[in-house]
Amino acid sequence: MKKDLPKSTKVVVIGGGVAGCSCAYHLAKFGWKDTIILERDQLTSGTTWHAAGLIGQLGASQTITKLRKYSLDLYKELEQTTGLSTGLKQNGAITVASTKDRMQELLRQATTAQLSNVDVKILNKQQTKDLYPVIENTDIEGSIFMPEDGQADPVGVTNVLAKAARMEGVKIFEKTPVRKILVNKGKIVGVDTTRGRIDCEYVVLASGMWSRQIAEDINVSVPLYPNEHFYIITEPIKNLPKNLPVLRDYNACLYLKEDAGKMLVGIFEPNAKPAFKETGRVPDDFSFGEFPDDFDHFEPYLEKSFFRMPMLRDAGIRKFFSGPESFTPDTQYLLGETAEVKKLYTCCGFNSIGIASAGGAGKATAEWIINGHINEDLFSLDIKRFQKFHSTKNFIMERVTETLGDLYGMHWPFKQHSTARNQKLLPYHDNLKKAGACFGATSGYERPMWYSLNGKDAKYEYSFGFQNWYPAVKHETINARKNVGLFDLSSFSKFDLKGDNVHDELQKISTANVKSIPGKTTYTQMLNEDGGIETDLSIVCIDKNYFRIVSSATTRERDKKHIQKYLSEKIEFIDVTEEYCCFGLFGPKSRELISKISSDDFSNKNFKFGNAKSVNFGDIGVWAQRLSYVGELGYELYVKSKNAKKLYNLIILEGKKFNLSHCGMHAMDIMRMESGFLHWGHDISPEENQYQAGLSFTISYKKNINFIGRNALLKIKDEIPSKKLVMLTLKENNPGKPLLLHEEPIYLNDKIIGRTTSGNYSFCFNKNMTFGYVNGNISNERLKNEDLFVEVAKTKHAAELQTQSLNKNNYKTI
């Protein structure tokens, strides 16, 4: 007999897989007992049931590692709480490297793991063989071993979470498909099911591969799509050692798992096969479903498994499996509130690592819902890192053919995707290409990363050391500091706000005192109620009751959502990102150049730093701002997209007289670090407050308004910050030796005191430089006088504290 559905509830979780059960459990555990799960068929019937069940703690970032480590601890705890078994077997996991580059990647991961207290052991060729005696190790450079990793039964994990959720008060309804999510005025009001309507305040979309199409029905973008995922299970193998660790061989695209005397051999291969390709839609009744065998697709990887584990050659195949697994455009999860609908959250897109991830992801989702924000750096998982086009069939079905293979592909620094490119081309794209641009995709825009020299191919040659684009960027950065550089800033997010009360409302959500005089700019952050940094942006007053906000390209949807969350309906908010292109003219000769192509007065007396005004370049109207993300002197030139190519040609023609160079985003990132400027998503996030980040100069307590986060800041303003941002340089000054990136441990003497957040090489100052956070109670005197190190790939490199930016004159009035 079916249980009666409630007429209303606080939260509806759609999906009874491992993610939905985890989210519901955590919501109830944290006090929101009025939570229900709606499952269209049976628990685990989508993709959870056929997961390989690998439990690995080590992720591509500290954030992922933290969530996965929590999952492992949770599953062990809930076995005791519920009395059920997850089938958890902590038999460890080995990842082998058959190339020096792969070993370098593994060593970097092992180094980062220390920040999360994950036990990782480095093994040589013989030690690998000793631990996994049936492996072929002749080509192995080494491996890493995680002794606390292992495997679990996906159905068992889900049942444990489901029982724990019920024990906390969650009601679970199987055989209850949701026909449509109900929305009114952009806000959740309920769900329509085959058994009737349920009113609710929140919906969590934890529907796995169905999530995209459920959301599409209400015009919400959820960018994921299923591929066919393959594995085989052998017959029992004679003399197979018991309790072998899970084995991963990334270079061969393989994972191998021993289970009850048999072996499971699975693959994450390049050129994956999108599922349901004919219709582009997952059937509503696809439960416990499988696809026909495609042995031709699997066979090359089976051959590789025979090499890695020779005894597999004589093993019979008991089961050939092919089933759907959903993937996202960047192989990271989809968590958080959607951009389009308030109180609609996602907890999906786990890219075949859902069992290892779901415990931590469910906890993070529950905290996000209850608090309305998250006080952790989860932007790499936030669904709002994507835009509408990312979930279109043309884009997502092409992209996932690449991203499945990315899981085991080389995780190169600065790696670019090759599929689903050229979504947004600048009006002068071909001109930039002729100038030697190597393009990278950011929020769909093809933007120049660097410009090749002397006719060389504008193509990345990936490395963990010296970058092939270093010579080009050396030229770009030195020339921009010496003469003038042309940067393209068109992908930056641009929002126009108008209304009688617009200034008061901006004051409420900004920490700085927003200038309301036309032509004045304000650099500010916006916070959540706990004081965490939600946005980092500039605001310019264009006219009375008319402001423009400019922020990062990658945070477009996220910043928009945060700003609109607090704006009244009286304010007109327009996203004008595509309407304008923006050129950055930066360098000591920028004023001379700009004065040659415009009759307006750009002298320091009439156009000071932080000011803006309308100017003319011939018959082209331009909004010019004297701001620079690379340090003074410089101008941002905003022009209607239809006039952008004409302005570009004017700049290039006149720029020849001033040794103008095209400059890409690598040059900008290096120069902003030289100038001590921070980057949201690397150096600052909701995990930090302005006192920790050294941004207290952007806080105004004098303005007569209680801005969001003010009360939280007042409680900590006179305390020693728990951590503080520092800039370090290495005593070794060779570019790429080592390659500094982020999430490298910082040591004082022999103890880890923090982690890096950004890294680059400065060609202007011949320094390996990095930003990072260290324990706030450690004085600068100690940091200067005692031994500092940054650890990269298990090697410590001597470092020294910089108490001011390398480009010390970046604020100088010129």
Side-chain angles (χ1 to χ4, degrees), residues 427-439:
Y428 39 91
H429 175 84
D430 289 342
N431 303 74
L432 300 179
K433 188 174 181 180
K434 288 177 184 176
C438 177
F439 293 98

Side-chain angles (χ1 to χ4, degrees), residues 19 85 147 184 280 288 349 354 389 424 433 438 561 564 594 607 651 666 682 707 716 729 751 786:
S85 172
N184 185 29
F288 302 106
F389 73 89
K424 300 177 186 179
K433 188 174 181 180
C438 177
K561 180 85 173 185
Q564 291 183 307
I594 207 170
F607 202 169
I651 293 170
H666 286 310
H682 277 97
F707 59 83
I716 62 173
T729 56
K751 291 186 178 179
E786 298 180 36

Side-chain angles (χ1 to χ4, degrees), residues 188 199 262 307 313 564 707 722:
I188 288 293
D199 294 331
K262 304 181 290 293
F307 171 78
R313 290 184 179 277
Q564 291 183 307
F707 59 83
S722 58

Side-chain angles (χ1 to χ4, degrees), residues 515-549:
K515 302 178 185 72
S516 59
I517 301 170
K520 296 292 184 181
T521 65
T522 306
Y523 171 58
T524 189
Q525 286 80 48
M526 296 177 181
L527 312 179
N528 59 44
E529 286 82 353
D530 295 323
I533 302 172
E534 293 285 345
T535 72
D536 179 67
L537 42 79
S538 63
I539 303 173
V540 59
C541 180
I542 294 179
D543 206 343
K544 184 180 180 182
N545 299 326
Y546 177 15
F547 292 80
R548 178 172 295 154
I549 290 174

Side-chain angles (χ1 to χ4, degrees), residues 17-275:
V18 66
C21 290
S22 174
C23 185
Y25 161 73
H26 283 97
L27 281 166
K29 181 177 173 62
F30 296 155
W32 285 26
K33 308 292 185 183
D34 198 5
T35 295
I36 67 171
I37 296 174
L38 300 180
E39 163 56 43
R40 63 184 181 84
D41 194 349
Q42 295 174 243
L43 297 185
T44 79
S45 62
T47 57
T48 297
W49 71 276
H50 64 70
L54 307 185
I55 304 292
Q57 300 169 87
L58 193 57
S61 68
Q62 185 186 11
T63 296
I64 306 294
T65 298
K66 184 178 178 181
L67 295 182
R68 289 165 70 166
K69 188 174 188 291
Y70 173 85
S71 297
L72 174 61
D73 294 339
L74 175 70
Y75 301 158
K76 290 192 289 186
E77 175 191 326
L78 291 186
E79 279 191 324
Q80 303 300 316
T81 302
T82 64
L84 300 179
S85 172
T86 63
L88 179 64
K89 186 168 71 169
Q90 287 181 274
N91 51 325
I94 297 177
T95 303
V96 300
S98 55
T99 64
K100 286 183 169 58
D101 283 331
R102 181 67 79 177
M103 194 65 210
Q104 175 76 193
E105 179 185 318
L106 296 184
L107 289 173
R108 283 176 174 265
Q109 289 184 4
T111 302
T112 299
Q114 297 170 122
L115 298 171
S116 302
N117 296 315
V118 174
D119 187 9
V120 180
K121 302 185 186 306
I122 313 299
L123 306 181
N124 62 28
K125 179 184 295 192
Q126 186 56 48
Q127 290 169 324
T128 305
K129 181 78 170 178
D130 293 342
L131 198 58
Y132 205 100
V134 293
I135 199 172
E136 172 58 62
N137 73 334
T138 53
D139 63 331
I140 288 175
E141 293 285 332
S143 65
I144 57 174
F145 175 53
M146 288 71 70
E148 294 182 7
D149 283 6
Q151 57 199 70
D153 170 27
V155 175
V157 171
T158 306
N159 286 335
V160 164
L161 286 165
K163 183 174 180 180
R166 288 189 180 102
M167 290 169 67
E168 293 287 349
V170 173
K171 295 181 175 64
I172 301 176
F173 298 89
E174 297 180 293
K175 302 290 184 182
T176 310
V178 172
R179 291 193 293 208
K180 191 170 186 178
I181 297 170
L182 304 177
V183 178
N184 185 29
K185 295 182 179 180
K187 187 176 179 180
I188 288 293
V189 295
V191 294
D192 178 34
T193 81
T194 54
R195 297 173 57 196
R197 171 176 171 145
I198 304 172
D199 294 331
C200 63
E201 295 179 46
Y202 296 84
V203 167
V204 181
L205 201 52
S207 315
M209 60 183 173
W210 285 272
S211 300
R212 190 191 72 84
Q213 59 205 48
I214 293 172
E216 188 178 44
D217 289 344
I218 56 170
N219 199 31
V220 169
S221 173
V222 177
L224 55 73
Y225 194 83
N227 286 313
E228 296 187 31
H229 179 53
F230 302 87
Y231 61 73
I232 62 159
I233 301 174
T234 70
E235 297 286 356
I237 300 175
K238 188 178 180 181
N239 298 324
L240 179 69
K242 291 183 179 180
N243 289 321
L244 282 171
V246 172
L247 175 65
R248 295 181 178 88
D249 182 349
Y250 290 159
N251 289 101
C253 309
L254 295 171
Y255 63 89
L256 297 92
K257 181 184 82 166
E258 182 272 331
D259 189 12
K262 304 181 290 293
M263 289 297 297
L264 181 150
V265 180
I267 62 172
F268 287 107
E269 75 283 15
N271 302 313
K273 292 180 63 178

Side-chain angles (χ1 to χ4, degrees), residues 652-689:
I652 295 301
L653 182 63
E654 193 64 36
K656 294 175 182 177
K657 302 172 186 176
F658 299 93
N659 292 318
L660 175 82
S661 59
H662 285 84
C663 298
M665 298 312 296
H666 286 310
M668 174 167 280
D669 197 43
I670 289 170
M671 295 175 77
R672 67 95 183 170
M673 287 191 67
E674 291 171 343
S675 298
F677 298 154
L678 306 185
H679 182 277
W680 195 96
H682 277 97
D683 310 309
I684 47 177
S685 74
E687 204 164 296
E688 288 81 36
N689 62 59

